[in-house]
Amino acid sequence: MRIQVLNRVLASNDALANEYRKEFDKNKITAINIMSAPGSGKTALLEQTLKEIKNKINTFVIEGDIKGDLDAQRVAKAGGRVYQINTDGACHLDAFMISQVLPKIKTKKIDLLFIENVGNLVCPAEFYIGAHYNVMLLSTPEGADKPVKYPLMFSKADLLIINKIDLLPYVNFDFKSLEKSLKTIKPSLDLLKISCKTGEGLTDWYQWLASHLPQTIGRKLFKHRKEQG
Ligand code: MG
Ligand code: ZN
């Protein structure tokens, strides 16, 4: 019985997400859903990314948190346009929450919409929110065993970013076992290694972004980098 109810909830969620996803496509908005456990560095990645790209393309950030607007404040401080959703207890974002925000930002020109999901390795993966790509973060202190324990999240990701590689000398993070488990869960998963703190690997992330945006928009990120030499 519970499973039937859950299936109905997910079906109406997906229908709503598909509806506004069409609007994204019509308006050439690329939406990226960022998921991870709390503290893996989703907001830190957004801070770095906005500093790099905010003057090149039109970005907007939707922040999802159970309470408060600490992350929205950080994004705004990094120069980003941002809207904070409070889920008031729910441990994931869903299509209804996103659909409530979209009319409020309708008039803004947006090329790239980041949606930072609530920190949680379980149900954010179950709720489709109309994003074109799911980007997942795993930080090195969390350990390399997470794909085995939370396979759905990893199977739904298009890109896995290993963050906090500056901490590798101090933590046990076994890349070999990570790669081995990903081979069964999602062999096609893109993988990047970065540190939001030192900036290592971030260029690879911007390249990934550029290559997953429509060509005319992605080119704006590349062009600028070339000029910087
Ligand atoms: Mg955050
Ligand atoms: Zn949840």
Side-chain angles (χ1 to χ4, degrees):
M1 189 62 194
R2 197 186 160 260
I3 287 173
Q4 274 175 13
V5 172
L6 183 65
N7 283 343
R8 259 204 309 276
V9 168
L10 288 176
S12 66
N13 178 83
D14 290 4
L16 179 58
N18 282 326
E19 224 171 88
Y20 64 71
R21 163 68 182 261
K22 279 183 208 146
E23 292 298 307
F24 287 165
D25 292 336
K26 209 169 77 190
N27 294 303
K28 298 196 174 59
I29 297 172
T30 302
I32 295 187
N33 176 25
I34 304 180
M35 300 186 284
S36 78
S40 308
K42 296 183 293 304
T43 313
L45 180 70
L46 284 173
E47 288 173 310
Q48 295 286 3
T49 305
L50 289 167
K51 283 177 200 159
E52 171 72 19
I53 71 171
K54 68 172 187 235
N55 295 325
K56 300 171 191 166
I57 62 175
N58 299 299
T59 58
F60 198 93
V61 179
I62 296 175
E63 279 290 338
D65 277 295
I66 293 177
K67 281 243 182 292
D69 65 350
L70 290 176
D71 286 358
Q73 287 181 37
R74 287 171 61 186
V75 167
K77 211 173 161 192
R81 300 182 297 171
V82 59
Y83 188 94
Q84 176 83 52
I85 293 177
N86 278 147
T87 62
D88 284 316
C91 48
H92 58 270
L93 292 175
D94 63 27
F96 179 73
M97 296 176 199
I98 302 295
S99 73
Q100 297 291 95
V101 177
L102 295 178
K104 299 182 175 66
I105 63 172
K106 207 167 76 181
T107 55
K108 303 190 190 304
K109 172 88 186 95
I110 300 172
D111 302 314
L112 176 55
L113 174 66
F114 288 113
I115 303 169
E116 183 183 334
N117 219 308
V118 180
N120 177 347
L121 282 180
V122 187
C123 37
E126 290 171 1
F127 286 80
Y128 175 57
I129 53 170
H132 296 79
Y133 301 106
N134 289 327
V135 170
M136 197 206 150
L137 271 80
L138 176 67
S139 65
T140 57
E142 293 168 62
D145 59 351
K146 292 300 166 289
V148 179
K149 300 172 83 169
Y150 305 93
L152 182 67
M153 173 66 70
F154 289 83
S155 72
K156 289 282 176 78
D158 300 292
L159 169 67
L160 173 61
I161 297 180
I162 307 299
N163 187 26
K164 307 189 190 179
I165 55 168
D166 54 303
L167 296 180
L168 281 172
Y170 315 104
V171 297
N172 290 318
F173 190 89
D174 184 350
F175 275 104
K176 278 219 175 74
S177 80
L178 177 84
E179 278 158 16
K180 193 175 157 215
S181 55
L182 290 177
K183 240 175 232 163
T184 24
I185 294 163
K186 187 154 194 185
S188 64
L189 184 58
D190 291 344
L191 194 140
L192 296 177
K193 301 171 186 178
I194 69 161
S195 164
C196 289
K197 188 155 187 186
T198 67
E200 195 179 343
L202 285 177
T203 306
D204 298 334
W205 156 240
Y206 303 137
Q207 244 144 22
W208 187 94
L209 264 184
S211 64
H212 288 77
L213 291 166
Q215 228 180 35
T216 48
I217 295 162
R219 218 181 273 145
K220 292 182 188 175
L221 301 183
F222 271 125
K223 204 174 94 194
H224 199 89
R225 219 184 351 267
K226 267 188 195 147
E227 281 163 9
Q228 285 179 332

